[in-house]
Amino acid sequence: MYYIDLAGVAVFAASGVLAARDRDLDLLGVIVVAAITAIGGGTLRDLLLDRHPIFWVTDVWYLVVIITSAMLTVAYVRVWPPPSATLLVADTLGLALFALSGAQLAEAAQCPPLIVVLMGTMTGVTGGVLRDVITAQVPLILRREIYATAAIVGVAVYLALHALGMPHAPAFGAGMIVVVAVRLLAIRWDLHLPVFRKS
């Protein structure tokens, strides 16, 4: 769990840098965006689950990973400008990692399945929402794209497989794969939920 959490932080920090690269921010601003993206969802999760102190306050490695990931991403982007799809892929990986890790923590806190799905989804999407707001973009969760839905489906699959007796690690991996697959297939085939319109 710990190393998965660190991996999610690193990926989301990189997505924060990619989102901030065309916003004329200085290096400190880029790191701030990366940090908010990386720890926003987990912070909200811990507050709602009454987990104190907040995970990154007592473990400096989270901030070390964020700063390192941000600096490496900045250096990489300067040398090899990535294609525009890179942000979507990085964001999708962060979404999957955080949604499943958030669900696990809610499950460990003995929350009902519906709350586990909700906590996992909130952990996965909140950092991206904060990133988009700070960089003056419409948050992905408010667009027609399938985003939060991918997290909901992935966490639900994880819970279902776990309930059916599948060991923890394979169920976790299957849930992550589902999140990534649903999100990327939705992007590839321009899939979206029905849009509500006044008749």
Side-chain angles (χ1 to χ4, degrees):
M1 271 294 297
Y2 179 68
Y3 294 108
I4 289 172
D5 227 24
L6 288 178
V9 163
V11 172
F12 254 160
S15 80
V17 173
L18 294 173
R21 61 180 166 167
D22 296 325
R23 294 299 188 237
D24 294 325
L25 301 178
D26 61 17
L27 187 58
L28 178 60
V30 170
I31 292 175
V32 168
V33 172
I36 290 173
T37 307
I39 62 177
T43 300
L44 179 61
R45 173 202 65 209
D46 284 0
L47 289 172
L48 292 175
L49 291 177
D50 199 26
R51 299 178 74 240
H52 297 289
I54 306 300
F55 70 103
W56 55 268
V57 173
T58 56
D59 190 344
V60 70
W61 279 107
Y62 283 98
L63 298 180
V64 170
V65 168
I66 288 169
I67 294 170
T68 302
S69 177
M71 298 300 291
L72 289 175
T73 305
V74 167
Y76 180 85
V77 168
R78 286 184 176 275
V79 179
W80 296 288
S84 57
T86 307
L87 173 58
L88 293 174
V89 174
D91 186 75
T92 298
L93 293 175
L95 175 67
L97 286 164
F98 271 13
L100 271 297
S101 67
Q104 278 194 330
L105 288 172
E107 191 179 31
Q110 299 183 334
C111 295
L114 182 59
I115 301 302
V116 172
V117 173
L118 179 62
M119 286 295 169
T121 303
M122 289 176 62
T123 305
V125 306
T126 301
V129 170
L130 294 173
R131 174 200 65 212
D132 292 344
V133 169
I134 291 172
T135 56
Q137 302 178 68
V138 178
L140 282 172
I141 196 173
L142 299 180
R143 301 181 203 173
R144 295 177 65 200
E145 298 181 25
I146 289 179
Y147 187 65
T149 306
I152 292 170
V153 173
V155 173
V157 167
Y158 159 73
L159 289 175
L161 293 176
H162 208 200
L164 291 172
M166 180 177 284
H168 174 80
F172 185 97
M176 276 193 57
I177 290 171
V178 169
V179 175
V180 172
V182 170
R183 173 77 177 127
L184 294 183
L185 287 174
I187 293 171
R188 174 65 180 84
W189 299 106
D190 192 26
L191 303 175
H192 53 81
L193 296 176
V195 177
F196 174 76
R197 289 191 177 94
K198 185 178 178 180
S199 57

